[in-house]
Amino acid sequence: MKRFFKSSWWAIMYTVLLTGFTAFVLLDTFVIPKAIQSVSTVDYTQNSNATGTTDSGIYTANSYEDENISITITTERVDDTQVYIADIQLQSIDYLKTAFAQNIFGRNIKQTTSAMAEAHGAIFAINGDYYGFQDYGFVIRNGILYRSKARSGNDDEALVIYEDGSFEVVSENAVSADALLEQGAVQVFSFGPSLLCNGEINVNENSEVAKAMTSNPRTAIGIISPLHYIVIVSDGRTNVSAGLTLYQLAAIFKEQGCETAYNFDGGGSSTMWFNGEIVNVPTDGSKLGERKVSDIVYVGY
Amino acid sequence: MVYLMIGAISKARMPGRFVTNVYSSGIATLTVGSLLRGIFDIAGTSSPYQPVFVVAGVLMVLVGAVCYVAAQFKRL
């Protein structure tokens, strides 16, 4: 035994070192929370035209209506999949907001969509682009710039929502985040791809996000006209719902009359929340239930 | 495989313990780095520590190879 250790000390030591470092890298990537910045308390709506301050509208099982916000949720069956379509009309872009998990911008900081929605008094909410899973990609939320590092390669399409309520899909390597802020961007999301461009489908039947499966639960947002949005969340990975391909998802947006549509994080992250209830059936394929995510997009005061 | 090739095609002596340890460690590091890269690609994320595996692995393979060649020249 002594002879074995004497002759193999390098192999043993290096194996321990390599295993330890690998474990650290995995924990650093997937587990260890890293807070980078707390959410600014500066309210970007201070100088806005928004007049509403409270949620005092009329709720039904699948709609909400007040003088500033109108939301109607319909459920359809498309391609063996349960699809939830929210038609949202706003009087001001200030009622379309975003929030971070635990109100902290950082990596591996997560919370369920429903918890974030309730914490912010949302009327309606969906999961966002899960920015916290990446170290690159523009992050501008509620008019504040949190990350200006662009993604590399061809998958660098970002969705920009401007203060007039319009959408634009830009390439992160063609424009800086600071320039977008100067141009009036209030929200910038970094996931993609762009599903519709000028009313035409922008993906093909083989398109997919990175190495994901082709049929998945999905979350996406589209625009019919400034301040008139369509949000779609679909189920998937269950016996009841097969899931949608990006092409099928884009086709639904086109049918709804959208000009531009953009894909958010899907799979187990896909969650639609309305008036205190989860609308869809979130699952990662192995178990039902919400996944903790890093951010949400919500409608509220 | 490398050692079999050395024995089969040349009259060079087999590498010593140090060269073997360093070279094998480099190969192991590159292999683990590749596995991690695959995991991150499937998950759709990345780590700032990924280049450490490549740099360390390549360096150790090069050190092992250079030391082996230097030992052969010294013997000559």
Side-chain angles (χ1 to χ4, degrees):
Chain A
M1 180 69 98
K2 204 173 171 182
R3 205 170 158 190
F4 170 77
F5 280 116
K6 196 175 173 185
S7 63
S8 309
W9 70 270
W10 174 284
I12 294 168
M13 294 288 289
Y14 196 77
T15 300
V16 169
L17 178 69
L18 188 59
T19 305
F21 185 67
T22 303
F24 164 73
V25 172
L26 287 169
L27 285 171
D28 181 72
T29 303
F30 294 110
V31 178
I32 300 173
K34 280 179 281 191
I36 298 172
Q37 186 177 343
S38 287
V39 171
S40 168
T41 53
V42 172
D43 184 356
Y44 86 107
T45 65
Q46 280 174 356
N47 297 319
S48 75
N49 295 323
T51 55
T53 55
T54 60
D55 151 18
S56 56
I58 299 170
Y59 279 98
T60 68
N62 57 0
S63 70
Y64 173 85
E65 181 95 33
D66 68 26
E67 65 269 20
N68 299 305
I69 298 170
S70 169
I71 302 172
T72 304
I73 300 173
T74 54
T75 302
E76 294 182 11
R77 187 99 184 136
V78 179
D79 294 314
D80 291 329
T81 301
Q82 210 67 352
V83 176
Y84 311 87
I85 302 171
D87 188 312
I88 299 170
Q89 297 184 59
L90 308 173
Q91 291 300 316
S92 166
I93 195 58
D94 300 325
Y95 303 123
L96 182 69
K97 302 171 192 277
T98 53
F100 293 139
Q102 300 174 36
N103 263 344
I104 298 172
F105 172 78
R107 176 138 193 163
N108 293 329
I109 296 178
K110 299 177 279 189
Q111 219 176 349
T112 59
T113 298
S114 57
M116 282 187 267
E118 285 173 15
H120 287 85
I123 297 168
F124 170 90
I126 56 171
N127 63 287
D129 64 357
Y130 211 144
Y131 77 89
F133 205 49
Q134 305 285 347
D135 291 317
Y136 296 88
F138 293 166
V139 178
I140 292 176
R141 301 300 159 87
N142 301 329
I144 296 169
L145 174 62
Y146 291 94
R147 186 166 72 201
S148 58
K149 288 189 280 189
R151 288 174 291 172
S152 59
N154 295 328
D155 293 332
D156 68 343
E157 289 179 318
L159 173 68
V160 183
I161 301 180
Y162 292 100
E163 55 196 358
D164 64 356
S166 62
F167 276 17
E168 185 184 12
V169 176
V170 301
S171 165
E172 290 176 2
N173 289 292
V175 62
S176 71
D178 290 303
L180 289 175
L181 211 54
E182 282 171 21
Q183 289 165 23
V186 292
Q187 315 285 355
V188 176
F189 301 98
S190 182
F191 200 86
S194 151
L195 300 168
L196 281 188
C197 185
N198 294 326
E200 295 303 319
I201 294 177
N202 205 29
V203 290
N204 62 47
E205 290 175 352
N206 296 319
S207 296
E208 194 38 76
V209 177
K211 301 289 189 293
M213 295 183 280
T214 52
S215 287
N216 273 304
R218 302 284 181 187
T219 301
I221 189 168
I223 185 171
I224 294 175
S225 61
L227 301 178
H228 187 184
Y229 310 113
I230 297 291
V231 168
I232 295 177
V233 170
S234 78
D235 290 336
R237 299 182 186 170
T238 66
N239 293 333
V240 176
S241 292
L244 298 176
T245 64
L246 289 177
Y247 187 85
Q248 290 168 334
L249 181 63
I252 301 173
F253 275 107
K254 184 171 180 178
E255 202 177 291
Q256 294 290 322
C258 289
E259 285 295 309
T260 302
Y262 186 83
N263 184 55
F264 283 157
D265 186 25
S269 301
S270 285
T271 307
M272 179 184 282
W273 183 96
F274 174 68
N275 190 21
E277 302 285 334
I278 297 171
V279 176
N280 66 317
V281 183
T283 175
D284 60 5
S286 59
K287 63 181 189 303
L288 297 178
E290 280 186 273
R291 172 191 284 172
K292 290 184 180 178
V293 294
S294 61
D295 60 316
I296 61 168
V297 179
Y298 72 97
V299 175
Y301 288 95
Chain B
M1 176 65 87
V2 170
Y3 303 139
L4 287 173
M5 285 169 62
I6 291 170
I9 65 174
S10 79
K11 293 181 184 173
R13 289 178 62 178
M14 295 301 280
R17 180 162 287 162
F18 173 76
V19 169
T20 304
N21 284 337
V22 171
Y23 182 84
S24 301
S25 298
I27 296 296
T29 304
L30 289 172
T31 303
V32 171
S34 296
L35 280 170
L36 276 180
R37 185 179 169 182
I39 291 171
F40 294 150
D41 274 354
I42 291 170
T45 186
S46 62
S47 168
Y49 297 106
Q50 277 174 260
V52 174
F53 290 88
V54 176
V55 170
V58 168
L59 270 176
M60 282 192 280
V61 165
L62 283 176
V63 166
V66 166
C67 287
Y68 174 71
V69 170
Q72 298 307 309
F73 273 113
K74 196 175 174 184
R75 199 167 290 117
L76 292 175

